[in-house]
Amino acid sequence: PATLDARRWGYIDTSGVFKIEPVFQRAFTFNSGRALVYIDTRKDLKPTAKDADMMLQSAMRARDHVQLNESRAVCQSIISLAPDSEAAIRAQRFLKTSLPDHDISEEVHALYMNGMMKAQMRDFAAAEKLYDKSLSQDPKFFLAHGAKAYLNLEQKKYEEAEKTLKEGFKINPDYARGLWRLSLVYKAQGKTDLAKETLAKAKALDPEDPFFTDD
């Protein structure tokens, strides 16, 4: 996906040439020859129930690209389009275990993204300040607790990581990746049985998450 003006999206090839003109409101990556796009509501083209599985894959990729509001919107569309389908059940589970229950403001999202950038640069102090600021503006943004716990893990501050994650569970007790991170804390502390039990809970909540391995 590519855009020239941050308003309309299309698709370019590896040389940078547009093969599909930028006419969409949003555009996600291709999967098995298909891609999810957002169009003007006044147009006739609309997704149907048969598109639900592909849409769910797009929602999961959007979450992993930190497009949280977009991911949530796609899940809600799946549930509306095909409420009795397996895809809708999976979308409901994904909403419950992986995404905030509300739209994240642009400012909070920017703080979170900047925190991730600082974390990648291993500037953990700056990253934590950004995550804390995002939480001060949106106390229900439990993903920031998970991100802070990652910082603690990287610095071997295991007790702080556990405390941070448990604060996140107060907001969303079904935060699956939070449980996965907690299992890593227990593993690092040598609490093998507790680590396995916690990882099993994460897998039960979201059996499709590729992060949840025994490695």
Side-chain angles (χ1 to χ4, degrees), residues 150-162:
Y150 164 78
L151 303 179
N152 299 147
L153 271 165
E154 287 293 296
Q155 298 172 88
K156 302 187 187 316
K157 298 179 179 179
Y158 302 126
E159 291 184 4
E160 288 184 36
E162 182 177 358

Side-chain angles (χ1 to χ4, degrees), residues 80-206:
S80 177
L81 279 170
D84 299 322
S85 68
E86 176 65 21
I89 293 171
R90 292 164 63 201
Q92 288 171 332
R93 181 176 65 214
F94 190 64
L95 284 170
K96 181 180 180 182
T97 65
S98 306
L99 295 169
D101 63 0
H102 60 287
D103 280 348
I104 302 302
S105 72
E106 289 185 11
E107 187 171 0
V108 169
H109 185 264
L111 290 167
Y112 185 66
M113 292 294 291
N114 288 335
M116 292 179 67
M117 187 181 303
K118 292 293 185 182
Q120 290 172 357
M121 297 168 61
R122 303 194 71 79
D123 188 349
F124 296 138
E128 186 167 1
K129 287 181 181 179
L130 289 162
Y131 293 144
D132 283 338
K133 190 171 182 180
S134 72
L135 281 166
S136 71
Q137 295 191 25
D138 187 346
K140 294 180 68 179
F141 186 37
F142 62 87
L143 296 180
H145 288 289
K148 284 182 62 179
Y150 164 78
L151 303 179
N152 299 147
L153 271 165
E154 287 293 296
Q155 298 172 88
K156 302 187 187 316
K157 298 179 179 179
Y158 302 126
E159 291 184 4
E160 288 184 36
E162 182 177 358
K163 181 180 178 182
T164 298
L165 287 167
K166 288 182 176 179
E167 286 297 314
F169 296 142
K170 291 178 183 178
I171 303 164
N172 183 2
D174 297 317
Y175 175 27
R177 284 196 176 177
L179 285 166
W180 165 66
R181 283 203 170 98
L182 185 58
S183 76
L184 298 179
V185 171
Y186 291 145
K187 185 176 181 179
Q189 293 175 318
K191 301 175 181 178
T192 306
D193 291 341
L194 195 53
K196 290 181 178 178
E197 178 185 335
T198 307
L199 179 59
K201 289 179 181 178
K203 289 181 176 180
L205 284 168
D206 189 358

Side-chain angles (χ1 to χ4, degrees), residues 52-85:
D53 286 336
M54 179 271 294
M55 292 170 66
L56 182 59
Q57 293 303 314
S58 294
M60 291 176 175
R61 286 197 300 273
R63 183 276 304 267
D64 289 339
H65 287 91
V66 204
Q67 296 172 318
L68 305 176
N69 295 344
E70 291 86 348
S71 180
R72 184 166 167 269
V74 173
C75 286
Q76 291 171 332
S77 294
I78 293 167
I79 295 166
S80 177
L81 279 170
D84 299 322
S85 68

